[in-house]
Amino acid sequence: TKMMEDRAEQFKRTPERVQRELEERLRKNLAQRGEFSRVHALPQSSQDVSDETESRLVVLGTDHAWSKDKGSEAEQLARQILEQRGNQPRIYRNTLVFLVADRARVQDLADGVRKYLAWQSILDDKDGLNLTPFQVRQAENQRKMADDAVTARIPEVWCYLLEPQQATPQSTIEFTATRLAGPDALAVRAWKRLSKDERLVPLYAGTNLRRDMVRVPLWRGDHVAVSDLVDYYARYP
């Protein structure tokens, strides 16, 4: 255990190794994307998120975590992605929702990853360390516990949805944070919550469509093309 603690401390000097392990685990979790057409995992800039009409989940990394302070790193990057695709204005802004990490929990997750890597490194060096069979079993048990702890902490860290909302065409787009919970994979959990609250609607009733077309002047003469409707819904929050 003392050796594990020493090695875990050493991993603080190689944060890229800890980050790589964490990102691999996160991407594995996001392989289950629910009914989102696509999940954009860990974009570094707005260029990494395509501009399409389908609904997509954008998952930001721990370097852009969310806090209740206005203007957090998560909100800044989310707004940049929402407004731009690289150097061009984003057209389809009503297609994106953001899953972000809770800044208050990021450090615990990083500590857990370092402990897992430390136990793994001990097992990798078991011959050079002359570990007894009992010590090997002990290290294997501790590695499994550390592995399980990291797996359990990932959904505890990525637990906030940031949803862009705009009340009127003239008002500024604001982000609403919703806390997630549940046993499902991250993207599945996000999809279920949005669908339950009818903030993401996979099947839109004709009565709702008619209501929108009465309320908003979408007509061109006495008709509107279906392709135009698809474009409008994807464009305007």
Side-chain angles (χ1 to χ4, degrees), residues 124-210:
D124 291 342
D125 297 341
K126 62 183 178 183
D127 293 334
L129 295 171
N130 295 318
L131 298 185
T132 66
F134 173 77
Q135 289 174 322
V136 170
R137 289 194 299 273
Q138 186 180 37
E140 288 174 341
N141 290 336
Q142 292 295 328
R143 178 187 60 182
K144 185 180 185 308
M145 291 175 61
D147 186 17
D148 292 344
V150 172
T151 299
R153 285 178 188 175
I154 285 177
E156 294 175 354
V157 171
W158 275 274
C159 63
Y160 281 102
L161 274 176
L162 288 187
E163 300 169 62
Q165 297 182 350
Q166 187 178 29
T168 69
Q170 294 77 29
S171 60
T172 303
I173 291 180
E174 300 292 343
F175 286 90
T176 301
T178 304
R179 189 177 182 87
L180 297 179
D184 298 300
L186 294 173
V188 175
R189 187 172 60 170
W191 176 270
K192 286 185 176 180
R193 179 60 185 269
L194 290 166
S195 299
K196 177 183 176 183
D197 295 345
E198 295 188 345
R199 299 200 298 275
L200 194 158
V201 183
L203 274 177
Y204 206 49
T207 52
N208 291 336
L209 179 60
R210 175 69 179 182

Side-chain angles (χ1 to χ4, degrees), residues 22-73:
L22 180 55
E23 289 181 2
E24 289 174 358
R25 289 169 175 263
L26 180 62
R27 291 181 189 278
K28 183 178 179 180
N29 183 294
L30 293 172
Q32 300 181 57
R33 66 173 190 261
E35 295 187 48
F36 288 105
S37 67
R38 186 174 175 185
V39 174
H40 297 279
L42 307 173
Q44 293 303 304
S45 72
S46 62
Q47 183 65 43
D48 297 331
V49 180
S50 57
D51 197 6
E52 305 168 16
T53 58
E54 291 81 9
S55 59
R56 285 158 295 135
L57 180 68
V58 182
V59 183
L60 304 186
T62 53
D63 52 341
H64 294 95
W66 182 85
S67 69
K68 293 182 179 179
D69 300 331
K70 192 169 182 62
S72 65
E73 293 94 334

Side-chain angles (χ1 to χ4, degrees), residues 104-121:
R105 294 176 175 265
V106 168
Q107 187 59 53
D108 287 343
L109 178 59
D111 290 342
V113 172
R114 282 192 288 269
K115 286 183 179 180
Y116 166 78
L117 292 174
W119 283 117
Q120 182 62 57
S121 71

